[in-house]
Structures are given as structure tokens and as C-alpha cells.
Amino acid sequence: MARWEPNARERLERAALALFVEHGYDATTVAEIADRAGLTKSTFFRHFADKREVLFHGQDMLTQLFSDAIRTAPPAATTVDCLAAALESAAVAFTWDRHDLAPQRRAVIAANSELQERQLLKRARFASAMADALRARGADDVAAGLAAEVGVLAFSTAYARWAAPENRQPFGEIAHAALHDLQACATTLGK
Amino acid sequence: MARWEPNARERLERAALALFVEHGYDATTVAEIADRAGLTKSTFFRHFADKREVLFHGQDMLTQLFSDAIRTAPPAATTVDCLAAALESAAVAFTWDRHDLAPQRRAVIAANSELQERQLLKRARFASAMADALRARGADDVAAGLAAEVGVLAFSTAYARWAAPENRQPFGEIAHAALHDLQACATTLGK
């Protein structure tokens, strides 16, 4: 019978990130992660499909949040309003109690080409979800495609700024500023 | 001793695409491709590292063309001028003698999730090369990132239009029109 383990998921995530940083992602096993967290392998597998999911488990949730925010924005919302709503909705995933994990996660991904590919695919999926949601609101293909790339660029820029160790600004504010910067660049490109 | 085989590369590419369409990408072996082309496996491996490279061998050349065109554009060229130069430079890869291969290639990739991932990564690499080249000209990170995404969107849109079986317009013209459409969308987003 499975025991209830307080904070098992977070303990596993912290143990995994610490080991990935110390020994490298490839060299770390699920058994070592479970051991460092003081839990069993079977507890690990109740929370994560594999060690890669420790790094990418937020992807499905964010995709859903982006998509829902765009689809449920008021009918009068402009494309940029929709992107702003999508970015705002992601703020729930970037709270202060997770801030110290971000530099570790980024370092682990930066050190491994397979994980970098996974990260690029994650970005492409976000763009695709945003473009689908914008098309569902009536945007044409070109406009939806461009707006989705702007949304994903705003998200990545905001995440990098939020995750910086010295940052104390909340994600939502940073994301709004990033979107605003991109809008200014879009104006310049449009000339 | 390797014999010189006239048009070996193109024969192998055409044989591979035909087999991928007929039997599926996963089910096709290099031996079957060589056999269909009337060549040997060792001739195949002199031209391609593996069967996946038959579909993606253009990636390195295009990355280099995009990057070179942006880096060597005149100092007074705007960002959009640089993107236009990059797209124009790609036209050498999309000549009429290759037009009939494009629908086959697209069908093969659309049918296979691993190849779709590879295609997304290829796009991400194009964007990264364009952004690097624009930064080398002095663009800031945000502007370079956005412009690169616009460049890649223009490229993908143009490729899809060029590859349509009924298309008779040259790639360069189509790419210019796609870039122009995206510029108009950028203006709308910037408002």
C-alpha cells in the first residue's frame, strides 16, 4: 500500500535538481533521486514518469493555461490583450517558493543538448497552442502565427528575468514589461 | 574502389521519398532505398549519414545562407532588409527541378511525430542563426529575437506556398510577399 508522504513531489524535485547539478543529468538515476529525498523509487514513479519529467512537468499545465486564457478573453480583447491574459495566467506557476529552483533548472538544461532540444520543443508547443487559440477567436493564420511567437518570446524573456537570482519582481509584472518591449519592436519592424 | 554514379544523390533522395510515402518512414531501410535507386548501401552512406538526413540535409546549408545574407547586408540595411536578403538567398534551394519532391517530403514528415519534432528543431535553429546574425549587426536581444521569428515565419509560410503542387511562382517572390504580410501584422500588433 502506498503511504502518504508529506511534500513528496517537491522533495523529489529538489533532490533531483540538486543531483543533476552535482553529478550531471545523464549520470543521475531515479534510485539516487528517491534515496536523496528519503523516499522510494515507487513513490518517485507515482509523481513523475521519468527523470526528464522532473524538469518539464510544467509544460502541460502552461500550455493549458495559455490556451484557456486566450480562448476565454472577452470578445473585444485585442490580440495583445489576449497575449497579456495568457502571460498573466502563467504567473501561478512562478511563485516565490519556486524561485530558488529556477537557476538550477536552467543550469541543468544548459549543460545537456538533449534537454535543450526538449526545451525548444516545449517553446514550439506553447507557440502552437497560442496560435490555435488565436485562430479559434478568428485571427488569420499569419496574424495568429506571429502573435503566438510574440507571446512565446515574451514568456521566455520574462521567465529568464524572473529566474535571475537577484530578481524580486513578480512574474506578471515582468511579463507585461516584456510584452510591451516586443510590441515596440513590432512597431519598428512594421515600418 | 568507389565508382562514380551519375546523379547518385538525387536518385537516392527520390528513391527514399518514394519508399517513405509507400511504406512509411520507419518501415523503410537504407538497403531498400539503395536497391530502389539501383545503387549500393555504401553509395548511400557516401551521400547521407542515415535515412533521416535525406529529409533534413538542407538544414545546414539554409542556416549558413540565412546567416551569411544577414551578416553581409549593407550597413544601412534595416532589419526587414536583412530578413528579405536572407529569404532571397534561400531561393537557390527551391528550384523547379526540386518542386515535385516537396509534397512527398511534407507528407512523410506530417505522418511521423519524431520527424515533426526534428522539423520544429530545424525551425528553432534557423531562428537562432538569424538572431545571432542580427545581434552581430548591433540589434538588441529583444529586437533580434522578434525579427528572427518573423524571418522564420516568413520562410515557413513561403515554403508551404511554394511547395503547393499548383504553385508556379518562384520562391523569392513568394517569400517577399510573406514577409510583407508579416510586417503588416507586426504593425497591427504594435498598436
Side-chain angles (χ1 to χ4, degrees), chain B residues 161-177:
Chain B
R161 290 182 193 162
W162 177 81
E166 69 281 6
N167 172 53
R168 294 292 169 269
Q169 218 185 341
F171 181 83
E173 277 178 28
I174 299 173
H176 266 282

Side-chain angles (χ1 to χ4, degrees), chain A residues 80 117 149 183 187 189-191, chain B residues 80 149 183 187 189-191:
Chain A
V80 172
E117 287 198 350
E149 294 298 343
Q183 255 198 298
T187 306
L189 268 185
K191 272 175 195 162
Chain B
V80 172
E149 293 299 343
Q183 254 198 302
T187 307
L189 267 184
K191 272 174 192 162

Side-chain angles (χ1 to χ4, degrees), chain A residues 47-127:
Chain A
H47 289 278
F48 301 102
D50 52 33
K51 65 178 177 173
R52 197 170 66 182
E53 209 196 307
V54 176
L55 297 166
F56 293 103
H57 62 87
Q59 175 176 341
D60 290 346
M61 184 188 65
L62 284 171
T63 305
Q64 194 65 50
L65 287 168
F66 290 149
S67 184
D68 288 350
I70 294 172
R71 284 170 200 271
T72 60
T78 65
T79 299
V80 172
D81 293 340
C82 289
L83 295 178
L87 294 169
E88 254 166 51
S89 77
V92 294
F94 305 107
T95 50
W96 286 119
D97 57 317
R98 296 189 56 75
H99 189 253
D100 62 317
L101 299 177
Q104 288 181 351
R105 187 179 172 280
R106 300 191 79 201
V108 172
I109 292 173
N112 184 300
S113 61
E114 189 212 319
L115 297 175
Q116 284 169 42
E117 287 198 350
R118 188 56 38 190
Q119 182 79 347
L120 289 175
L121 290 171
K122 180 175 150 178
R123 291 197 48 192
R125 299 243 155 75
F126 288 160

Side-chain angles (χ1 to χ4, degrees), chain B residues 8-45 47-55 108:
Chain B
R9 194 182 170 87
E10 194 189 331
R11 279 158 66 192
L12 288 163
E13 187 176 6
R14 290 189 178 268
L17 284 169
L19 286 165
F20 293 163
V21 169
E22 286 166 35
H23 305 145
Y25 173 79
D26 285 330
T28 300
T29 65
V30 167
E32 288 164 346
I33 296 169
D35 196 49
R36 169 78 68 111
L39 296 164
T40 62
K41 268 177 73 170
S42 60
T43 302
F44 179 93
F45 287 119
H47 289 278
F48 301 102
D50 52 33
K51 64 178 178 173
R52 197 170 70 184
E53 209 195 308
V54 176
L55 297 166
V108 172

Side-chain angles (χ1 to χ4, degrees), chain A residues 79-80 117-118 120-121 123-125 142-143 145-147 149-150 153 161 181-183 185-187 189-191, chain B residues 79-80 117-118 120-121 123-125 142-143 145-147 149-150 153 161 181-183 185-187 189-191:
Chain A
T79 299
V80 172
E117 287 198 350
R118 188 56 38 190
L120 289 175
L121 290 171
R123 291 197 48 192
R125 299 243 155 75
V142 178
L146 178 63
E149 294 298 343
V150 168
L153 280 171
R161 289 181 193 161
D181 289 355
L182 280 160
Q183 255 198 298
C185 289
T187 306
L189 268 185
K191 272 175 195 162
Chain B
T79 301
V80 172
E117 288 198 350
R118 188 55 37 188
L120 290 174
L121 289 172
R123 291 196 48 190
R125 299 244 156 76
V142 177
L146 178 62
E149 293 299 343
V150 168
L153 279 170
R161 290 182 193 162
D181 290 354
L182 280 160
Q183 254 198 302
C185 289
T187 307
L189 267 184
K191 272 174 192 162

